[in-house]
Amino acid sequence: MATSKSVLMLCGDYMEDYESMVQFQALLAYGISVDAVCPGKKAGDLCRTAVHQASQYQTYSESRGHNFTLNATYDEIDADKYDGLLIQGGRAPEYLAMNQSVVDLVKKFSNSRKPIASICHGPLILAAADLVKDRKCTAYNGVGPALISAGADWIEPETLAACTIDDNLITAATYFGHAEYIRGFVKALGGTITGSDKRILVLCGDFMEDLEVMVPFQSFQVLGCHVDAVCPNKVAGETCMTAIHDFEGDQTYSEKPGHEFTLNATYDDVIVSSYDALIIPGGRAPEYLARDPSVLKLVKEFMESGKPIASICHGQQILAAADLLKGRKCTAYPAVKLNVVLAGATWLEPDPIDSSFIDGNLVTAAAWPGHPKFVSQLMALLGIKVNF
């Protein structure tokens, strides 16, 4: 998929994890070039992210998210070369809004009438740049008073999925609104989506990897697909706990608690023939899901039907247990190589770690850094395109 658009993504320490990773990786999957920058940092540096979610308290809770690697240097930005701007949420905007170079940068995008998408606390930066006066916008509800003081036509978010579009300005309350928010940004860039009348099933379990469920789940929702997330012995509305697996210099990945992921369909109601593809996230869930006879039966039905199966990281443990890898070429997280080889597959070395491969109807990737390729390869198998 040829890159035809280029956007700038404004980052900062303790931006929200989903609000950075999902947008960054989804847009790359759609063929859009994304430069992620942070004041005072350069390409290759890290930004810490935060997991924000509803809690028993009067406001959201926060814990540590993934480390986000910047791929461009802030001081080398040429705003004129970009077609749009993304402003992340979380706590980063609280201090970025006080940075004059950030304010000047955002004003430059506004003056050129290029699309600007800002989520959660991100509109604080728009307010600091005096860009919301008489503009319809929403945000996390705690940001409302500042936007009202800045003269915005404030749209109170009725749900956490609220999104408002006012000409070239796209704003959303939280990552729950990613589907409409990111789709609105893609359309503002001139993108059209075709082939999206697909139904996709995501096989979930407790302590699946946080990004490995949410990035594919929301990436295909953005495209307009119907995506159902299910878990054995759970029903729609229940949650799965996720794990944040990261690469921090240890001999294996580290683990931190992730977001709680809400299922939107019931496992026992699944009819394989009603879906066009299956996605299997990694993390620790596949270790026990691979021992569930109903799970093995389900994945076998998908494979026998010839429908695309996209499995990432440790997800291939399930395919191996179902005896579906014999004679196939695939990769996985390196620690899963034993399962894959013993199952009779030809091992494809994931070097670099963002590798993802197609073998017939099977897409396999090593870990969440490979999401852009992983999602785009499944899009290709399903005939879904983003055109500019």
Side-chain angles (χ1 to χ4, degrees):
M1 188 183 298
T3 298
S4 55
K5 295 290 179 178
S6 179
V7 301
L8 186 68
M9 181 168 143
L10 184 59
C11 303
D13 283 325
Y14 296 102
M15 58 186 175
E16 213 287 328
D17 196 356
Y18 278 167
E19 288 167 6
S20 52
M21 290 289 195
V22 174
Q23 294 174 44
F24 181 73
Q25 294 190 315
L27 292 175
L28 288 174
Y30 305 153
I32 299 169
S33 174
V34 186
D35 281 353
V37 298
C38 174
K41 299 192 181 191
K42 61 184 185 300
D45 288 347
L46 300 176
C47 277
R48 309 294 188 190
T49 71
V51 171
H52 286 170
Q53 61 181 351
S55 70
Q56 61 181 310
Y57 306 106
Q58 291 179 325
T59 189
Y60 53 85
S61 64
E62 176 175 307
S63 57
R64 276 285 302 278
H66 294 81
N67 294 318
F68 184 97
T69 302
L70 303 166
N71 65 346
T73 299
Y74 183 83
D75 289 342
E76 297 173 358
I77 292 171
D78 177 4
D80 292 335
K81 83 172 198 178
Y82 297 103
D83 300 296
L85 175 67
L86 286 167
I87 302 175
Q88 303 313 304
R91 284 196 291 108
E94 294 175 350
Y95 64 87
L96 291 177
M98 300 297 101
N99 185 314
Q100 190 59 46
S101 71
V102 169
V103 170
D104 291 342
L105 176 69
V106 175
K107 284 183 176 180
K108 190 165 187 178
F109 274 90
S110 179
N111 291 339
S112 66
R113 305 300 298 166
K114 293 176 180 178
I116 298 175
S118 184
I119 193 168
C120 189
H121 287 66
L124 286 171
I125 297 173
L126 301 177
D130 194 27
L131 299 179
V132 295
K133 190 173 183 179
D134 299 325
R135 301 295 298 273
K136 293 180 180 178
C137 63
T138 194
Y140 184 70
N141 53 19
V143 179
L147 294 178
I148 292 169
S149 295
D153 183 359
W154 168 248
I155 307 298
E156 184 73 27
E158 294 184 4
T159 72
L160 293 176
C163 178
T164 297
I165 298 176
D166 182 354
D167 193 24
N168 68 320
L169 184 63
I170 303 109
T171 53
T174 72
Y175 54 79
F176 287 105
H178 271 156
E180 184 179 356
Y181 174 73
I182 300 174
R183 187 187 308 127
F185 186 59
V186 170
K187 289 184 176 180
L189 291 170
T192 57
I193 301 165
T194 59
S196 60
D197 55 338
K198 304 296 189 297
R199 291 175 54 88
I200 299 171
L201 186 69
V202 182
L203 181 60
C204 302
D206 284 323
F207 294 102
M208 58 189 168
E209 212 287 329
D210 198 3
L211 294 179
E212 288 172 5
V213 62
M214 188 58 113
V215 172
F217 180 79
Q218 291 196 316
S219 292
F220 282 97
Q221 285 187 325
V222 169
L223 295 169
C225 296
H226 178 97
V227 188
D228 283 343
V230 299
C231 176
N233 303 312
K234 295 191 180 188
V235 300
E238 292 187 317
T239 61
C240 282
M241 190 60 199
T242 70
I244 289 173
H245 287 169
D246 214 342
F247 313 100
E248 301 181 291
D250 304 302
Q251 290 181 324
T252 187
Y253 51 85
S254 63
E255 178 170 303
K256 300 183 281 284
H259 297 80
E260 290 186 358
F261 181 88
T262 302
L263 305 166
N264 65 344
T266 298
Y267 183 82
D268 289 343
D269 294 340
V270 169
I271 301 173
V272 169
S273 61
S274 69
Y275 294 97
D276 298 291
L278 173 67
I279 295 173
I280 306 175
R284 287 196 290 108
E287 293 179 348
Y288 67 87
L289 291 177
R291 299 178 63 248
D292 186 326
S294 71
V295 168
L296 303 185
K297 178 175 181 293
L298 183 145
V299 297
K300 284 180 180 178
E301 284 188 51
F302 271 95
M303 187 63 80
E304 290 166 0
S305 71
K307 295 176 178 179
I309 297 177
S311 183
I312 191 166
C313 192
H314 285 64
Q316 287 80 307
Q317 290 177 319
I318 295 173
L319 300 178
D323 195 26
L324 298 177
L325 294 182
K326 191 173 294 182
R328 305 305 295 265
K329 297 176 182 179
C330 71
T331 194
Y333 187 69
V336 183
K337 179 178 180 179
L338 180 63
N339 302 70
V340 170
V341 172
L342 290 177
T346 297
W347 173 253
L348 301 176
E349 193 66 38
D351 185 17
I353 198 65
D354 64 355
S355 298
S356 183
F357 301 97
I358 295 180
D359 179 32
N361 68 322
L362 181 64
V363 179
T364 54
W368 56 259
H371 276 145
K373 297 174 187 174
F374 181 73
V375 170
S376 66
Q377 287 170 344
L378 182 55
M379 287 171 59
L381 289 181
L382 290 170
I384 303 172
K385 295 181 180 180
V386 179
N387 301 301
F388 290 96

